[in-house]
Amino acid sequence: MVNVKAYHSLVNELKPGNIQLLAVSKLQPAQSILQLYNEGQRDFGENYVQEMLEKQEVLPNDIRWHFIGHLQSNKVKYIASFVHLIHGVDSEKLLLEINKQAAKNGRVINCLLQVHIAQEETKFGFDPQEAAILLEKLIAQPSALTHICIRGLMGMASFTENTATIRSEFKILYRLFQQFHSRVSFFDCLSMGMTSDYTIAAEEGTTMVRVGSLIFGDRK
Ligand SMILES: *Cc1c(COP(=O)(O)O)cnc(C)c1O
């Protein structure tokens, strides 16, 4: 069940800092998305290709669909015609495939590099240093990938109650973001913060929070 009141208070909370809200709708019914759409929300985040396709087919055309899960190269082709922003780009192989499928569709696809900032081993992403090296390479060779636009970075902090740990991880990501944001005009998106830690992310310079359960309730 959508918590419309929590949604509006979140929108108001993010407004002064000009922080974008991505409503994370994975494992939630299309009906709940439509309910938020009718409240004015247009950006929705999904983690699974098949689920995103099914929802995209039945929901309004002006929804901006963000892919925030782990994307396998062989599935890029299914979402390349409509995806608005791919948050979890974690390999050069995936970047090349997105570029190829975007070209086939005559589009430029916006991407974020996922950076591994958490202590847990299981989370995907580039190490901060690897991400910096890749970005330098892409800046030096702007003609290499003509159908993708790297708009910024995405990261997930450790799953912990320790807010000092979370804050220090967000600081690492922010610093890296700032380093390229100051040089590249379109490098303007820092996707960090979810239900449990978006207030810390807001204090640490996020430009987009990915919030699910706070507004949609628990997932099935
Ligand atoms: C599920 C998910 C979220 C949202 O999580 P909530 O705790 O429900 O806000 C954010 N980011 C990613 C990458 C996710 O997979």
Side-chain angles (χ1 to χ4, degrees), residues 37-69:
Y37 177 91
N38 290 330
E39 299 295 324
Q41 181 66 25
R42 291 294 178 272
D43 293 273
F44 292 92
E46 291 285 338
N47 288 53
Y48 310 101
V49 168
Q50 187 57 35
E51 185 180 347
M52 184 156 101
L53 288 172
E54 285 166 13
K55 288 171 174 173
Q56 190 262 344
E57 211 154 87
V58 300
L59 286 163
N61 268 327
D62 60 340
I63 285 180
R64 293 184 289 266
W65 293 100
H66 297 240
F67 194 83
I68 65 170

Side-chain angles (χ1 to χ4, degrees), residues 24 26 47 68-69 114 154 156 193-196 210-214 217 219:
V24 175
K26 62 169 178 237
N47 288 53
I68 65 170
Q114 183 168 354
M154 179 268 219
M156 289 167 89
M194 35 210 273
T195 294
S196 57
R210 308 177 308 270
V211 177
S213 32
L214 178 71
R219 289 179 280 272

Side-chain angles (χ1 to χ4, degrees), residues 149-217:
C149 182
I150 305 210
R151 300 293 304 271
L153 304 174
M154 179 268 219
M156 289 167 89
S158 294
F159 186 70
T160 173
E161 307 267 282
N162 187 335
T163 56
T165 299
I166 295 169
R167 192 179 294 281
S168 70
E169 292 169 355
F170 283 159
K171 279 186 194 294
I172 292 168
L173 191 58
Y174 178 78
R175 209 175 300 128
L176 184 63
F177 170 70
Q178 199 54 38
Q179 194 183 317
F180 290 93
H181 174 60
S182 60
R183 289 166 56 195
V184 181
S185 61
F186 53 80
F187 198 89
D188 57 2
C189 183
L190 178 58
S191 167
M192 69 178 194
M194 35 210 273
T195 294
S196 57
D197 56 20
Y198 79 87
T199 50
I200 304 173
E203 288 164 1
E204 298 303 330
T206 187
T207 73
M208 185 185 288
V209 293
R210 308 177 308 270
V211 177
S213 32
L214 178 71
I215 43 188
F216 285 108

Side-chain angles (χ1 to χ4, degrees), residues 8-204:
H8 284 294
S9 83
L10 180 58
V11 166
N12 283 325
E13 199 179 328
L14 298 173
K15 210 177 272 169
N18 216 2
I19 297 168
Q20 285 180 276
L21 171 59
L22 178 62
V24 175
S25 48
K26 62 169 178 237
L27 306 176
Q28 303 289 353
Q31 193 52 42
S32 295
I33 297 178
L34 196 56
Q35 203 181 338
L36 264 198
Y37 177 91
N38 290 330
E39 299 295 324
Q41 181 66 25
R42 291 294 178 272
D43 293 273
F44 292 92
E46 291 285 338
N47 288 53
Y48 310 101
V49 168
Q50 187 57 35
E51 185 180 347
M52 184 156 101
L53 288 172
E54 285 166 13
K55 288 171 174 173
Q56 190 262 344
E57 211 154 87
V58 300
L59 286 163
N61 268 327
D62 60 340
I63 285 180
R64 293 184 289 266
W65 293 100
H66 297 240
F67 194 83
I68 65 170
H70 178 66
L71 183 57
Q72 288 169 282
S73 296
N74 62 358
K75 297 209 169 152
V76 175
K77 56 179 177 283
Y78 301 117
I79 62 171
S81 67
F82 68 90
V83 68
H84 175 67
L85 177 63
I86 299 176
H87 290 232
V89 177
D90 61 358
S91 72
E92 281 194 70
K93 178 179 170 227
L94 181 56
L95 267 188
L96 290 171
E97 179 62 15
I98 296 169
N99 188 60
K100 180 175 148 193
Q101 296 300 332
K104 269 194 189 168
N105 284 275
R107 314 179 59 210
V108 171
I109 296 181
N110 294 311
C111 296
L112 304 179
L113 296 186
Q114 183 168 354
V115 179
H116 181 267
I117 50 170
Q119 287 163 347
E120 290 109 69
E121 276 299 319
T122 53
K123 299 213 171 135
F124 297 102
F126 295 99
D127 289 331
Q129 233 191 344
E130 281 179 329
I133 290 168
L134 177 57
L135 287 168
E136 290 293 358
K137 195 167 107 180
L138 294 172
I139 290 170
Q141 266 206 314
S143 59
L145 299 170
T146 48
H147 291 269
I148 54 172
C149 182
I150 305 210
R151 300 293 304 271
L153 304 174
M154 179 268 219
M156 289 167 89
S158 294
F159 186 70
T160 173
E161 307 267 282
N162 187 335
T163 56
T165 299
I166 295 169
R167 192 179 294 281
S168 70
E169 292 169 355
F170 283 159
K171 279 186 194 294
I172 292 168
L173 191 58
Y174 178 78
R175 209 175 300 128
L176 184 63
F177 170 70
Q178 199 54 38
Q179 194 183 317
F180 290 93
H181 174 60
S182 60
R183 289 166 56 195
V184 181
S185 61
F186 53 80
F187 198 89
D188 57 2
C189 183
L190 178 58
S191 167
M192 69 178 194
M194 35 210 273
T195 294
S196 57
D197 56 20
Y198 79 87
T199 50
I200 304 173
E203 288 164 1
E204 298 303 330

